[in-house]
Amino acid sequence: MTITIFHNPACGTSRNVLELIRNSGAEPRIIEYLKTPPGRAELVDLIDRMGIPARDLLRRKGTPYDELGLDNPLLTDDDLIDAMMARPILINRPIVVTPLGAALCRPSETVLDLLPSPQRGAFARENGEKIVDEAGKRIV
């Protein structure tokens, strides 16, 4: 069973998702997408597997989104994918792929729907908010 996370270790949500995966007993394949961005075909495949338009994968905060005018409704999915290929920081994260599907895991507890194995114990986000109780059951 392979679980893959497109991860940014500087992102709290991404770190929380990684730890939720590990809390299920799995050790995922970690792709630091800013160092090793997906190729165009892989990015298109991820978007298709998630069932979202390319626009929904764009990250705005801390990126050149506004200066590039990416809010222009006339831009096509291909245009937006071109922008993400040129500047991987525009790809929102974390993206998780498991045998159960693929999703942009924001908020972090979204990953729980993708994990084949249950949580092994309690889990709280870095900010202290409990997501999983001691019995491994989702709280949020």
Side-chain angles (χ1 to χ4, degrees):
M1 171 186 66
T2 301
I3 296 174
T4 301
I5 180 172
F6 290 84
H7 179 60
N8 179 349
C11 170
T13 301
S14 197
R15 290 190 304 269
N16 285 326
V17 168
L18 177 58
E19 291 310 312
L20 280 164
I21 294 168
R22 289 177 169 156
N23 198 41
S24 75
E27 183 55 39
R29 181 176 76 136
I30 301 169
I31 299 173
E32 290 189 32
Y33 75 97
L34 293 176
K35 293 179 181 177
T36 309
R40 183 179 186 85
E42 185 176 20
L43 184 59
V44 168
D45 181 60
L46 286 169
I47 291 167
D48 288 344
R49 291 176 74 182
M50 290 187 286
I52 62 173
R55 186 169 301 281
D56 288 357
L57 190 57
L58 283 170
R59 180 165 179 82
R60 295 178 185 200
K61 183 180 173 187
T63 74
Y65 178 93
D66 290 324
E67 70 188 55
L68 295 171
L70 296 176
D71 60 343
N72 181 342
L74 299 177
L75 293 174
T76 66
D77 276 3
D78 280 339
D79 295 331
L80 300 175
I81 291 166
D82 288 344
M84 287 185 266
M85 293 304 305
R87 295 172 180 85
I89 192 70
L90 289 165
I91 301 171
N92 211 343
R93 77 282 178 167
I95 299 169
V96 175
V97 180
T98 78
L100 299 179
L104 174 61
C105 293
R106 300 187 77 79
S108 53
E109 62 269 15
T110 303
V111 75
L112 296 173
D113 298 327
L114 294 175
L115 297 176
S117 299
Q119 295 290 286
R120 293 181 165 189
F123 182 84
R125 288 188 177 118
E126 290 179 357
N127 68 5
E129 181 184 1
K130 290 184 179 184
I131 296 176
V132 176
D133 68 16
E134 292 75 18
K137 302 291 182 202
R138 180 188 293 203
I139 296 171
V140 203

